[in-house]
Amino acid sequence: MGASGWEYFVPYQADVGKAFAELQRQVLADGDYYQGEKYDSLAELVAAKQQEEFWEEGTHSILDMHRVNHAFAADETGQIRELSPVEVDALLGSETPTRADFEQVDEPCADFDSWQGRYTVLYQDGQPHELVFWGYSGD
């Protein structure tokens, strides 16, 4: 099947970890992922990630990620890392990018490997408006 790119927009909240967890619960509840296996709960999914077989296919969604990390953390499998201010400006052309700025990027996953992701804040009228999570996973 090959890996898949994915992206999600959620309303802004300062607690990115909470936004990430809520988004994962919503994606799981909606069944909005590749369902080689169906998971009934995040706990079941977490347990599946402990098995090598999970990483042979994954869900091709944010469910393949297990945590968010700060901008200067080393990239790791299953991690969504915040873009640094320099990366935000380089990728989106602004220190306060909008959703339109993000949607104009041809390949937002070009700077990282499969089984990883990124997030940043998107603005509207100069104020934080949304969080965008995106990545590349599955096999």
Side-chain angles (χ1 to χ4, degrees), residues 1 19 53 105 108 116:
M1 173 180 248
E53 297 84 36
V105 177
Q116 297 176 3

Side-chain angles (χ1 to χ4, degrees), residues 65-131:
M65 303 295 107
H66 58 266
R67 70 175 172 181
V68 293
N69 214 333
H70 62 87
F72 300 102
D75 286 328
E76 296 178 19
T77 298
Q79 172 186 275
I80 294 184
R81 183 177 61 75
E82 178 183 22
L83 287 185
S84 72
V86 171
E87 290 172 316
V88 169
D89 194 36
L91 181 67
L92 303 173
S94 172
E95 293 179 3
T96 56
T98 64
R99 186 174 187 158
D101 294 330
F102 182 83
E103 290 175 341
Q104 290 179 2
V105 177
D106 287 331
E107 295 183 43
C109 299
D111 72 328
F112 55 91
D113 294 330
S114 185
W115 302 101
Q116 297 176 3
R118 298 288 186 264
Y119 79 89
T120 197
V121 176
L122 298 177
Y123 294 79
Q124 183 174 314
D125 300 324
Q127 299 298 315
H129 181 70
E130 292 179 297
L131 294 169

Side-chain angles (χ1 to χ4, degrees), residues 5-19:
W6 40 263
E7 61 188 43
Y8 303 91
F9 299 89
V10 299
Y12 174 78
Q13 61 176 289
D15 187 338
V16 176
K18 183 177 177 184

Side-chain angles (χ1 to χ4, degrees), residues 2-3 5 18 21-22 26 28 36 38-39 43 51-53 56 63-64 66 87 92-94 104 106 108 117:
K18 183 177 177 184
E22 290 171 357
Q26 188 64 52
L28 185 68
K38 178 132 174 59
Y39 303 101
Q51 307 301 314
E52 188 174 320
E53 297 84 36
E56 292 173 6
L63 297 175
D64 293 333
H66 58 266
E87 290 172 316
L92 303 173
S94 172
Q104 290 179 2
D106 287 331

